[in-house]
Coordinates of all heavy atoms in Angstrom, one line a residue:
S1 N 58.5 2.3 232.0 CA 59.4 1.4 232.8 C 60.4 0.7 231.9 O 60.2 0.7 230.7 CB 58.5 0.4 233.5 OG 58.0 -0.5 232.6
R2 N 61.4 0.2 232.5 CA 62.4 -0.5 231.7 C 61.8 -1.7 231.0 O 62.2 -2.0 229.9 CB 63.6 -0.9 232.6 CG 64.3 0.4 233.1 CD 65.4 0.0 234.1 NE 66.6 0.2 233.4 CZ 67.8 -0.1 233.9 NH1 67.9 -0.6 235.1 NH2 68.9 0.1 233.2
S3 N 61.0 -2.4 231.7 CA 60.4 -3.7 231.1 C 59.5 -3.3 229.9 O 59.5 -4.0 228.9 CB 59.7 -4.5 232.1 OG 58.6 -3.7 232.7
L4 N 58.7 -2.2 230.0 CA 57.9 -1.8 228.9 C 58.8 -1.4 227.7 O 58.5 -1.7 226.6 CB 57.0 -0.6 229.3 CG 56.2 0.0 228.2 CD1 55.2 -1.0 227.5 CD2 55.4 1.2 228.7
A5 N 59.8 -0.7 228.0 CA 60.7 -0.2 226.9 C 61.3 -1.5 226.2 O 61.4 -1.5 225.0 CB 61.9 0.6 227.5
R6 N 61.7 -2.5 227.0 CA 62.3 -3.7 226.4 C 61.3 -4.4 225.5 O 61.6 -4.8 224.4 CB 62.8 -4.6 227.5 CG 63.5 -5.9 227.1 CD 63.9 -6.8 228.2 NE 64.8 -6.1 229.2 CZ 64.4 -5.8 230.4 NH1 63.2 -6.2 230.9 NH2 65.2 -5.1 231.2
E7 N 60.1 -4.5 226.0 CA 59.0 -5.1 225.2 C 58.8 -4.4 223.9 O 58.6 -5.0 222.8 CB 57.7 -5.2 226.0 CG 56.6 -6.0 225.3 CD 57.0 -7.4 224.9 OE1 57.8 -8.0 225.6 OE2 56.5 -7.8 223.9
L8 N 58.8 -3.0 223.9 CA 58.6 -2.2 222.7 C 59.7 -2.5 221.7 O 59.4 -2.6 220.5 CB 58.4 -0.8 223.0 CG 57.2 -0.3 223.8 CD1 57.3 1.1 224.2 CD2 56.0 -0.5 222.9
V9 N 60.9 -2.6 222.2 CA 62.0 -2.9 221.3 C 61.9 -4.3 220.7 O 62.0 -4.5 219.5 CB 63.4 -2.8 222.1 CG1 64.5 -3.4 221.2 CG2 63.7 -1.4 222.4
V10 N 61.5 -5.3 221.5 CA 61.3 -6.6 221.0 C 60.2 -6.6 219.9 O 60.3 -7.3 218.9 CB 60.9 -7.6 222.1 CG1 60.4 -8.9 221.6 CG2 62.1 -7.8 223.0
Q11 N 59.2 -5.8 220.0 CA 58.1 -5.7 219.1 C 58.5 -4.9 217.8 O 57.7 -4.9 216.9 CB 56.9 -5.1 219.7 CG 56.2 -5.9 220.8 CD 55.1 -5.1 221.5 OE1 54.7 -4.0 221.1 NE2 54.6 -5.6 222.6
G12 N 59.7 -4.3 217.8 CA 60.1 -3.5 216.7 C 59.5 -2.2 216.6 O 59.4 -1.6 215.6
A13 N 59.0 -1.7 217.8 CA 58.2 -0.4 217.8 C 59.1 0.8 218.2 O 58.5 1.9 218.4 CB 57.1 -0.6 218.8
V14 N 60.4 0.7 218.2 CA 61.2 1.8 218.7 C 62.3 2.1 217.6 O 62.9 1.3 217.0 CB 62.0 1.5 220.0 CG1 62.8 2.6 220.5 CG2 61.0 1.1 221.1
R15 N 62.4 3.4 217.3 CA 63.4 3.9 216.4 C 64.2 5.1 217.1 O 63.6 5.8 217.9 CB 62.8 4.5 215.1 CG 62.2 3.3 214.3 CD 61.6 3.9 213.1 NE 60.9 2.9 212.3 CZ 61.5 2.2 211.3 NH1 62.8 2.5 210.9 NH2 60.9 1.2 210.7
V16 N 65.5 5.2 216.8 CA 66.3 6.3 217.3 C 66.8 7.0 216.0 O 67.5 6.3 215.2 CB 67.4 5.8 218.2 CG1 68.4 7.0 218.6 CG2 66.9 5.2 219.5
N17 N 66.5 8.2 215.9 CA 66.9 9.0 214.7 C 66.5 8.2 213.4 O 67.3 8.1 212.5 CB 68.4 9.3 214.7 CG 68.8 10.1 215.9 OD1 68.1 10.9 216.4 ND2 70.0 9.8 216.5
R18 N 65.3 7.7 213.4 CA 64.7 7.0 212.3 C 65.3 5.7 211.9 O 65.0 5.1 210.9 CB 64.7 7.9 211.0 CG 63.9 9.2 211.2 CD 63.8 10.0 209.9 NE 63.0 11.1 210.1 CZ 63.5 12.3 210.4 NH1 64.8 12.5 210.5 NH2 62.7 13.4 210.5
V19 N 66.1 5.1 212.8 CA 66.7 3.8 212.6 C 66.1 2.9 213.6 O 66.1 3.1 214.9 CB 68.2 3.9 212.7 CG1 68.8 2.5 212.6 CG2 68.8 4.8 211.7
K20 N 65.6 1.7 213.2 CA 65.0 0.7 214.1 C 66.0 0.2 215.1 O 67.1 -0.1 214.8 CB 64.5 -0.4 213.2 CG 63.7 -1.4 214.0 CD 63.1 -2.5 213.1 CE 62.4 -3.6 213.9 NZ 62.0 -4.6 212.9
V21 N 65.6 0.2 216.4 CA 66.4 -0.3 217.5 C 66.3 -1.8 217.5 O 65.2 -2.3 217.6 CB 66.0 0.4 218.8 CG1 66.8 -0.2 220.0 CG2 66.2 1.9 218.7
E22 N 67.4 -2.5 217.6 CA 67.5 -3.9 217.6 C 67.7 -4.5 219.0 O 67.4 -5.6 219.3 CB 68.6 -4.5 216.7 CG 68.4 -4.1 215.2 CD 67.2 -4.7 214.6 OE1 66.8 -5.8 215.0 OE2 66.7 -4.1 213.6
R23 N 68.3 -3.7 219.9 CA 68.6 -4.1 221.3 C 68.1 -3.1 222.3 O 68.2 -1.9 222.1 CB 70.2 -4.2 221.5 CG 70.9 -5.0 220.5 CD 72.4 -4.8 220.7 NE 72.7 -3.5 220.4 CZ 73.4 -2.5 220.8 NH1 74.0 -2.6 221.6 NH2 73.5 -1.3 220.5
A24 N 67.5 -3.7 223.4 CA 67.0 -2.8 224.4 C 68.1 -2.0 225.1 O 67.8 -0.9 225.7 CB 66.3 -3.6 225.5
S25 N 69.3 -2.4 225.0 CA 70.5 -1.7 225.6 C 71.0 -0.6 224.7 O 72.1 0.0 225.0 CB 71.6 -2.7 225.9 OG 72.0 -3.4 224.7
H26 N 70.4 -0.3 223.6 CA 70.8 0.8 222.7 C 71.0 2.1 223.4 O 70.1 2.5 224.1 CB 69.8 0.9 221.6 CG 70.2 1.9 220.5 ND1 70.8 1.5 219.4 CD2 70.1 3.3 220.4 CE1 71.1 2.6 218.6 NE2 70.6 3.6 219.3
L27 N 72.2 2.7 223.3 CA 72.4 3.9 224.0 C 71.9 5.1 223.2 O 72.0 5.2 222.0 CB 73.9 4.1 224.2 CG 74.6 3.1 225.1 CD1 76.1 3.4 225.2 CD2 74.0 3.1 226.5
V28 N 71.3 6.1 223.9 CA 70.9 7.3 223.3 C 71.7 8.5 224.0 O 72.2 8.3 225.1 CB 69.4 7.6 223.5 CG1 68.6 6.5 222.8 CG2 69.0 7.6 225.0
K29 N 71.8 9.6 223.2 CA 72.6 10.7 223.7 C 71.7 12.0 223.5 O 70.8 12.0 222.7 CB 73.9 10.8 223.0 CG 73.8 11.0 221.5 CD 75.2 10.9 220.9 CE 75.1 11.0 219.4 NZ 74.2 10.2 218.7
P30 N 72.1 13.0 224.2 CA 71.3 14.3 224.0 C 71.3 14.7 222.5 O 72.2 14.5 221.8 CB 72.1 15.3 224.8 CG 72.7 14.5 225.9 CD 73.1 13.2 225.2
G31 N 70.1 15.1 222.1 CA 69.8 15.4 220.7 C 69.2 14.3 219.9 O 68.6 14.5 218.8
D32 N 69.3 13.0 220.3 CA 68.7 11.9 219.6 C 67.1 12.1 219.7 O 66.6 12.5 220.7 CB 69.0 10.6 220.3 CG 70.4 10.1 219.9 OD1 71.1 10.7 219.0 OD2 70.9 9.2 220.5
V33 N 66.5 11.7 218.6 CA 65.0 11.6 218.6 C 64.6 10.2 218.6 O 65.0 9.4 217.8 CB 64.5 12.4 217.3 CG1 62.9 12.2 217.3 CG2 64.8 13.8 217.3
V34 N 63.8 9.8 219.6 CA 63.3 8.5 219.8 C 61.8 8.5 219.5 O 61.1 9.3 220.0 CB 63.5 8.0 221.3 CG1 63.0 6.6 221.5 CG2 65.0 8.1 221.7
T35 N 61.4 7.6 218.6 CA 60.0 7.4 218.2 C 59.6 6.0 218.6 O 60.4 5.1 218.5 CB 59.8 7.7 216.7 OG1 60.6 6.9 215.9 CG2 60.0 9.1 216.4
F36 N 58.4 5.9 219.0 CA 57.9 4.6 219.4 C 56.3 4.6 219.4 O 55.7 5.7 219.4 CB 58.3 4.2 220.8 CG 58.1 5.2 221.9 CD1 56.9 5.1 222.7 CD2 58.9 6.2 222.1 CE1 56.7 6.0 223.7 CE2 58.7 7.2 223.1 CZ 57.6 7.0 223.9
V37 N 55.7 3.4 219.3 CA 54.3 3.3 219.2 C 53.9 2.8 220.6 O 54.4 1.8 221.1 CB 53.8 2.3 218.2 CG1 52.3 2.1 218.2 CG2 54.3 2.7 216.8
L38 N 53.0 3.6 221.2 CA 52.5 3.2 222.6 C 51.0 3.4 222.6 O 50.4 4.5 222.3 CB 53.1 4.2 223.6 CG 52.8 3.9 225.1 CD1 53.3 2.5 225.5 CD2 53.4 4.9 226.0
H39 N 50.3 2.3 222.9 CA 48.8 2.3 222.9 C 48.2 2.8 221.6 O 47.3 3.6 221.5 CB 48.3 3.2 224.0 CG 48.8 2.8 225.4 ND1 48.6 1.5 225.9 CD2 49.6 3.5 226.3 CE1 49.2 1.5 227.1 NE2 49.8 2.6 227.3
G40 N 48.8 2.4 220.5 CA 48.3 2.8 219.1 C 48.7 4.2 218.7 O 48.2 4.6 217.6
R41 N 49.5 4.9 219.4 CA 49.8 6.3 219.0 C 51.3 6.3 218.9 O 52.1 5.8 219.6 CB 49.4 7.3 220.1 CG 47.9 7.3 220.4 CD 47.6 8.3 221.4 NE 47.1 9.5 220.7 CZ 46.5 10.5 221.2 NH1 46.4 10.5 222.5 NH2 46.1 11.5 220.5
V42 N 51.8 7.1 217.9 CA 53.2 7.3 217.6 C 53.6 8.4 218.5 O 53.1 9.5 218.5 CB 53.5 7.6 216.1 CG1 55.0 7.9 215.9 CG2 53.0 6.4 215.3
M43 N 54.7 8.2 219.3 CA 55.2 9.2 220.2 C 56.6 9.5 219.7 O 57.4 8.7 219.2 CB 55.4 8.6 221.6 CG 54.1 8.2 222.3 SD 53.1 9.7 222.8 CE 54.2 10.4 224.0
A44 N 57.0 10.8 219.8 CA 58.4 11.2 219.4 C 58.9 12.1 220.5 O 58.2 13.0 221.0 CB 58.3 12.0 218.1
V45 N 60.1 11.8 221.0 CA 60.7 12.6 222.1 C 62.1 12.9 221.7 O 62.8 12.1 221.0 CB 60.6 11.9 223.5 CG1 59.2 11.7 223.9 CG2 61.4 10.6 223.5
R46 N 62.6 14.0 222.1 CA 64.0 14.4 221.9 C 64.7 14.3 223.2 O 64.3 14.8 224.2 CB 64.2 15.8 221.3 CG 65.7 16.1 221.0 CD 65.9 17.5 220.5 NE 65.4 18.5 221.4 CZ 64.5 19.4 221.1 NH1 63.9 19.4 219.9 NH2 64.1 20.3 222.0
V47 N 65.8 13.5 223.3 CA 66.6 13.4 224.5 C 67.3 14.7 224.8 O 68.0 15.2 223.9 CB 67.7 12.2 224.4 CG1 68.5 12.1 225.6 CG2 66.9 10.9 224.0
E48 N 67.2 15.3 226.0 CA 67.8 16.5 226.3 C 69.0 16.3 227.2 O 70.0 17.1 227.1 CB 66.8 17.4 227.1 CG 65.6 17.9 226.3 CD 66.0 18.8 225.2 OE1 66.7 19.8 225.5 OE2 65.7 18.6 224.1
A49 N 69.1 15.3 228.0 CA 70.2 15.0 228.8 C 70.2 13.5 229.2 O 69.1 12.9 229.2 CB 70.2 15.9 230.1
A50 N 71.3 13.0 229.6 CA 71.4 11.7 230.1 C 71.3 11.7 231.6 O 71.8 12.6 232.3 CB 72.8 11.1 229.8
G51 N 70.5 10.7 232.1 CA 70.3 10.6 233.6 C 71.6 10.0 234.2 O 72.3 9.2 233.7
V52 N 71.9 10.5 235.4 CA 73.1 10.1 236.1 C 72.7 8.8 236.8 O 73.5 7.8 236.9 CB 73.6 11.1 237.1 CG1 74.7 10.6 237.9 CG2 74.0 12.4 236.4
R53 N 71.5 8.7 237.3 CA 71.1 7.5 238.0 C 69.6 7.4 237.9 O 68.9 8.4 237.5 CB 71.5 7.5 239.5 CG 70.8 8.7 240.3 CD 71.1 8.7 241.7 NE 70.5 9.8 242.4 CZ 69.2 9.8 242.8 NH1 68.5 8.8 242.6 NH2 68.7 10.9 243.4
R54 N 69.0 6.3 238.3 CA 67.5 6.1 238.3 C 67.0 7.0 239.4 O 67.5 7.0 240.5 CB 67.2 4.7 238.4 CG 67.5 3.8 237.2 CD 67.2 2.4 237.4 NE 65.7 2.2 237.5 CZ 65.1 1.1 237.7 NH1 65.9 0.0 238.0 NH2 63.8 1.0 237.8
G55 N 65.9 7.7 239.1 CA 65.4 8.6 240.1 C 63.9 8.7 240.0 O 63.3 7.9 239.2
P56 N 63.2 9.6 240.6 CA 61.8 9.8 240.5 C 61.4 10.2 239.1 O 62.1 10.7 238.3 CB 61.5 10.9 241.5 CG 62.8 11.4 242.1 CD 63.9 10.6 241.5
A57 N 60.1 10.0 238.8 CA 59.5 10.3 237.5 C 59.7 11.7 237.1 O 60.0 12.1 236.0 CB 58.1 9.9 237.5
A58 N 59.6 12.6 238.1 CA 59.7 14.1 237.8 C 61.1 14.4 237.2 O 61.3 15.2 236.3 CB 59.5 14.9 239.0
Q59 N 62.1 13.8 237.8 CA 63.5 14.0 237.3 C 63.7 13.4 235.9 O 64.3 13.9 235.0 CB 64.5 13.3 238.2 CG 64.7 14.1 239.5 CD 65.8 13.5 240.4 OE1 66.2 12.3 240.2 NE2 66.2 14.2 241.4
A60 N 63.1 12.2 235.7 CA 63.1 11.6 234.4 C 62.5 12.4 233.3 O 63.0 12.5 232.2 CB 62.5 10.2 234.4
R61 N 61.3 13.0 233.6 CA 60.6 13.9 232.6 C 61.5 15.1 232.2 O 61.3 15.6 231.1 CB 59.3 14.3 233.2 CG 58.2 13.2 233.1 CD 56.8 13.7 233.4 NE 56.7 14.2 234.7 CZ 56.4 13.4 235.8 NH1 56.2 12.1 235.6 NH2 56.3 13.9 237.0
A62 N 62.4 15.5 233.0 CA 63.2 16.6 232.7 C 64.3 16.3 231.7 O 65.0 17.1 231.1 CB 63.9 17.2 234.0
L63 N 64.5 15.0 231.4 CA 65.5 14.5 230.5 C 65.1 14.5 229.0 O 65.9 14.2 228.2 CB 66.0 13.1 230.9 CG 66.6 13.1 232.3 CD1 66.9 11.6 232.7 CD2 67.8 14.0 232.5
Y64 N 63.8 14.7 228.7 CA 63.4 14.7 227.3 C 62.3 15.7 227.1 O 61.7 16.2 228.0 CB 62.8 13.3 227.0 CG 61.6 12.9 227.8 CD1 60.3 13.1 227.3 CD2 61.7 12.2 229.0 CE1 59.2 12.8 228.0 CE2 60.6 11.9 229.7 CZ 59.3 12.1 229.2 OH 58.2 11.8 229.9
V65 N 62.0 16.0 225.8 CA 61.0 16.9 225.3 C 60.1 16.1 224.4 O 60.6 15.5 223.4 CB 61.6 18.1 224.6 CG1 60.5 19.0 224.0 CG2 62.4 18.9 225.6
V66 N 58.8 16.1 224.6 CA 57.8 15.5 223.7 C 57.7 16.4 222.5 O 57.5 17.6 222.6 CB 56.5 15.3 224.4 CG1 55.5 14.7 223.4 CG2 56.6 14.4 225.6
L67 N 57.8 15.8 221.3 CA 57.8 16.5 220.0 C 56.4 16.4 219.3 O 56.2 17.2 218.4 CB 58.9 16.0 219.1 CG 60.3 16.1 219.6 CD1 61.3 15.5 218.6 CD2 60.7 17.6 219.8
N68 N 55.6 15.6 219.7 CA 54.3 15.4 219.1 C 53.3 16.6 219.4 O 52.8 16.7 220.5 CB 53.6 14.1 219.5 CG 54.4 12.9 219.2 OD1 55.5 12.8 219.7 ND2 53.8 12.0 218.4
V69 N 53.1 17.4 218.4 CA 52.1 18.5 218.6 C 50.7 18.0 218.9 O 50.1 18.6 219.8 CB 52.1 19.4 217.3 CG1 51.1 20.5 217.4 CG2 53.5 20.0 217.1
A70 N 50.3 17.0 218.2 CA 48.9 16.5 218.4 C 48.7 16.0 219.8 O 47.6 16.0 220.3 CB 48.6 15.4 217.4
L71 N 49.7 15.5 220.5 CA 49.6 15.0 221.8 C 49.8 16.0 222.9 O 49.4 15.8 224.0 CB 50.6 13.8 222.0 CG 50.4 12.6 221.0 CD1 51.5 11.6 221.2 CD2 49.1 12.0 221.2
T72 N 50.5 17.1 222.6 CA 50.9 18.0 223.6 C 50.2 19.4 223.5 O 50.4 20.2 224.4 CB 52.4 18.2 223.7 OG1 52.8 18.6 222.4 CG2 53.1 16.9 224.0
G73 N 49.6 19.6 222.4 CA 49.0 20.9 222.2 C 49.7 21.8 221.2 O 50.8 21.5 220.8
A74 N 49.1 23.0 220.9 CA 49.7 23.8 219.9 C 51.0 24.4 220.3 O 51.8 24.8 219.4 CB 48.7 24.9 219.6
G75 N 51.3 24.6 221.6 CA 52.6 25.2 222.0 C 53.8 24.3 221.9 O 54.9 24.7 222.2
A76 N 53.6 23.0 221.6 CA 54.7 22.1 221.6 C 55.6 22.2 220.4 O 55.2 22.8 219.4 CB 54.2 20.6 221.6
E77 N 56.8 21.7 220.5 CA 57.8 21.8 219.4 C 57.4 20.8 218.3 O 56.7 19.8 218.6 CB 59.2 21.4 219.9 CG 59.7 22.4 220.9 CD 61.1 22.1 221.2 OE1 61.9 21.6 220.4 OE2 61.5 22.4 222.4
T78 N 57.8 21.1 217.1 CA 57.6 20.2 216.0 C 58.8 19.3 215.8 O 59.9 19.8 216.0 CB 57.2 20.9 214.7 OG1 58.2 21.8 214.4 CG2 55.8 21.6 214.9
P79 N 58.7 18.1 215.2 CA 59.9 17.3 215.0 C 60.8 18.0 214.0 O 60.3 18.8 213.1 CB 59.3 16.0 214.4 CG 57.8 16.0 214.8 CD 57.4 17.5 214.9
P80 N 62.1 17.7 214.0 CA 63.0 18.3 213.1 C 62.7 17.8 211.7 O 62.2 16.7 211.5 CB 64.4 17.8 213.6 CG 64.1 16.7 214.5 CD 62.7 16.8 215.0
P81 N 63.1 18.5 210.6 CA 62.8 18.1 209.3 C 63.7 16.9 208.9 O 64.8 16.7 209.5 CB 63.2 19.3 208.4 CG 64.1 20.1 209.3 CD 63.7 19.9 210.7
R82 N 63.2 16.1 208.0 CA 63.9 14.9 207.6 C 65.1 15.4 206.7 O 65.0 16.3 206.0 CB 63.1 14.0 206.7 CG 62.0 13.3 207.5 CD 61.3 12.4 206.7 NE 61.2 11.2 207.5 CZ 60.6 10.1 207.1 NH1 60.2 10.0 205.9 NH2 60.5 9.0 207.9
T83 N 66.2 14.6 206.9 CA 67.4 14.9 206.1 C 67.8 13.8 205.3 O 67.4 12.7 205.5 CB 68.6 15.3 207.0 OG1 68.8 14.3 208.0 CG2 68.3 16.6 207.7

């Protein structure tokens, strides 16, 4: 939810492309990798597309790919190498 995302940013638990996010209004674009801590686990997702409007959860899930192999199973993608 938007309120949960805002709280994670306030706690300093969100990074975009390895840079700490300072504002909840930080814009992301396709290709950006967002990492955050949720329930004690580090999550990494890659933005695939920008949403046109707020919609159902199923549409929102189509906008990103989870990169954490440990959380999604052996068939998941691995995070891009550090540069």
Side-chain angles (χ1 to χ4, degrees):
S1 73
R2 296 176 105 180
S3 58
L4 174 59
R6 185 178 306 111
E7 183 59 31
L8 290 172
V9 169
V10 168
Q11 294 173 9
V14 180
R15 294 178 181 266
V16 174
N17 300 325
R18 297 185 179 94
V19 177
K20 185 176 176 182
V21 173
E22 301 291 335
R23 302 171 296 138
S25 61
H26 184 93
L27 294 178
V28 295
K29 61 188 178 309
D32 284 349
V33 175
V34 180
T35 55
F36 54 96
V37 178
L38 184 63
H39 306 298
R41 300 182 99 167
V42 176
M43 299 285 296
V45 298
R46 183 179 60 238
V47 178
E48 294 294 306
V52 176
R53 63 176 181 82
R54 291 178 68 186
Q59 286 180 351
R61 282 190 296 272
L63 301 176
Y64 65 90
V65 172
V66 177
L67 299 175
N68 299 60
V69 174
L71 298 176
T72 58
E77 295 184 34
T78 56
R82 291 187 135 182
T83 54

